[in-house]
Amino acid sequence: VCVCVCACPDWASLTLGVFVCQACSLLHRSIPHISRVKSVQDTWDASDVELMAATGNNAAKAKYEQKVPAFYYRPTHSDCKMLREQWIRAKYERNEFEFIEKQEPYSAGYREGFLWKRGRDNGQFLSRKFILSEREGALKYFNKQDARDPKAVMKIETLNATFQPAKIGNPCGLQITYLKDNSTRNIFVYHSDAKEMVDWFNAIRAARFHYLQVAFPGASDEELVPKLTRNFMKEGFMEKTGPKHTEGFKKRWFTMDDRRLMYFKDPLDAYARGEVFIGSKENSYTVLSGLPSSTQGYHWNHGITIVTPDRKFLFACETEAEQRDWISAFQRVINRPMRPQEYAGVENI
């Protein structure tokens, strides 16, 4: 029942009868009319002990999570605070998983509303109308309220959404990505109401779920759910040089999205300046610590070389810790055998 499924739940909600970890206890404090928390180190009344003994996490889970849709995102300890808090509110305050009719905002197969969207060129956030339609297989947005034609049509087939509050500068900031001409396009949106934003996120997941059920009719829910949305494996600044390895190193923002390594001049750019497909070791992809001795030009001290069947890609990290994290991310991808549909990789950094 604790959001993070923590191994050391040293707090308790005396009103709900569940044990939670310290991080989740802080979220429970935000709904004092629903949940009154107390440390297990404090002195307990006999009535408190009796309540906890009579309820407990398993019984509470059976009640409050009895009808969670398969596609609904269950946050972990690594997710942003807003997502974790809304999961707790959905369970205990709104009782969304006890009454199916309360799930209509993200289960209906159609959703429309207004979100603040970051302008591609000027960086300003402006209110834009969005429509998600499972029947049309797309998420669309419109630049003008009365516009007949959408500014963009994002196919559910390639749609992804991931919360990025720090990058976007808003606690409800959501990054939506989709493929356009086999290149990744980013849009950045938020809503002032956290429930609205989480409903949009789960509506996208529902649309993806139903699309994949049709695309892979024999697949189980357990196989499909991990494919609905994904967080990026790693993001951050590195320096890069060009294909001749004689060009100067330039600082760029890199995003590792499954097998796509993309780089941007700015973290909030709409389009990547380049993408590298990272294959598997069976296809002669390797990652090495350091740079070739012939590397020219000033660069950060902690180098990484990615060897592909066609060429070497050279990167430099500012710290040893960053270098270690990037190598670990690359290694996880390279160690994973490629699926047949992944062979249409792109390589144009």
Side-chain angles (χ1 to χ4, degrees), residues 52-91:
M52 298 304 294
T55 311
N57 287 36
N58 289 337
K61 187 180 176 98
K63 176 186 178 183
Y64 293 108
E65 298 182 28
Q66 58 184 283
K67 295 174 182 174
V68 181
F71 61 79
Y72 196 96
Y73 186 76
R74 296 170 179 258
T76 69
H77 69 281
S78 60
D79 284 302
C80 64
K81 177 186 174 184
M82 183 275 297
L83 198 50
R84 291 182 288 124
E85 181 179 323
Q86 286 304 308
W87 166 245
I88 288 172
R89 286 183 180 273
K91 282 197 294 185

Side-chain angles (χ1 to χ4, degrees), residues 187-235:
I187 64 170
F188 303 94
V189 298
Y190 72 86
H191 195 286
S192 57
D193 185 306
K195 180 188 182 301
E196 275 285 309
M197 204 65 256
V198 173
D199 284 350
W200 271 105
F201 177 61
N202 280 300
I204 289 170
R205 286 177 60 87
R208 291 268 305 147
F209 184 60
H210 298 139
Y211 163 78
L212 290 171
Q213 283 181 315
V214 174
F216 303 98
S220 66
D221 289 358
E222 290 73 23
E223 291 173 299
L224 297 181
V225 166
K227 302 179 189 298
L228 301 186
T229 55
R230 62 194 179 276
N231 294 328
F232 300 136
M233 294 183 69
K234 170 80 178 151
E235 285 195 292

Side-chain angles (χ1 to χ4, degrees), residues 6 28 41 65 101 111 144 176 186 201 344:
C6 182
H28 277 257
Q41 306 296 330
E65 298 182 28
E101 61 271 19
R111 182 177 176 86
K144 294 196 173 83
I176 297 172
N186 299 319
F201 177 61

Side-chain angles (χ1 to χ4, degrees), residues 20-31:
V20 298
C21 71
Q22 184 176 12
C24 290
S25 76
L26 296 175
L27 300 176
H28 277 257
R29 287 179 192 275
S30 67
I31 49 170

